[in-house]
Amino acid sequence: HDHSAHEQAPIAMEAQKEAAKSLPDFTFYQLRSGIKVSKSDVAKDKNTVFVLFDPGCNHCQQEASALEKNIDRLKDVNIYYVSMNDPALILGFFDSFAPKLSKLSNVEILVDKNQEFIQKIHVPNQFPANYVYGPDGQLKSHWEGDKNINEAIAEFHK
């Protein structure tokens, strides 16, 4: 009989190869408080931007600094910064590159302890990976890596 069906090693977790068209349920944790944040916490009245980032990534640092310089243009979107890294590294990233940005009421810094982002939303090839979901939870735009900050902010508001 044919062995091809069961010769492959089992895949431990299924990765999301295409960006999720609708925002799936997720559980991330606020960096400073440890409070759980899930899909039900996402505001339904404006776009929500998820930025998957790595604190050591140069483009991530540049984007955060550039967003900080454009804080006034970010008032009408929610921004969730999500990282799978150590909380101390995440904290250092914002202290160094975007201290004001991290304190805005519409910006949340989240720790992805269980790697749910890459399992449920998307596995990017480059950081930062930006995902813009509308108030209806549908994906409006996404890109990976470097992008002109004015173009990025325009996408946030699409």
Side-chain angles (χ1 to χ4, degrees):
H1 69 274
D2 180 17
H3 287 274
S4 64
H6 51 86
E7 277 177 358
Q8 290 178 322
I11 295 168
M13 64 178 186
E14 196 52 43
Q16 186 70 28
K17 309 248 184 309
E18 293 288 314
K21 299 284 179 247
S22 324
L23 190 60
D25 206 5
F26 60 80
T27 303
F28 301 139
Y29 299 86
Q30 287 180 0
L31 178 64
R32 290 184 174 90
S33 67
I35 293 170
K36 284 184 183 179
V37 175
S38 65
K39 181 180 175 180
S40 60
D41 297 308
V42 175
K44 310 283 188 279
D45 60 340
K46 49 187 159 186
N47 285 357
T48 298
V49 181
F50 288 83
V51 182
L52 186 66
F53 78 103
D54 182 310
C57 145
N58 221 346
H59 289 303
C60 303
Q61 295 165 3
Q62 290 165 2
E63 183 181 88
S65 293
L67 285 175
E68 171 131 327
K69 291 183 184 100
N70 289 279
I71 266 178
D72 297 342
R73 297 166 63 196
L74 304 174
K75 288 187 174 91
D76 54 347
V77 291
N78 292 311
I79 301 174
Y80 287 121
Y81 264 92
V82 182
S83 180
M84 296 174 278
N85 287 80
D86 181 284
L89 294 174
I90 300 170
L91 207 51
F93 172 90
F94 284 99
D95 287 347
S96 300
F97 301 102
K100 290 191 206 96
L101 183 69
S102 71
K103 291 177 178 65
L104 289 181
S105 61
N106 60 325
V107 174
E108 286 206 54
I109 302 159
L110 304 173
V111 182
D112 181 4
K113 294 181 185 172
N114 305 311
Q115 300 182 336
E116 288 192 27
F117 200 100
I118 60 172
Q119 292 178 57
K120 297 179 174 185
I121 299 177
H122 189 229
V123 180
N125 295 313
Q126 286 183 301
F127 290 110
N130 288 258
Y131 305 83
V132 182
Y133 284 92
D136 59 357
Q138 298 303 301
L139 185 68
K140 290 185 164 196
S141 179
H142 109 272
W143 66 92
E144 298 172 28
D146 209 11
K147 189 180 190 82
N148 172 293
I149 202 62
N150 293 316
E151 290 172 25
I153 292 170
E155 292 288 323
F156 288 1
H157 294 93
K158 256 191 165 167

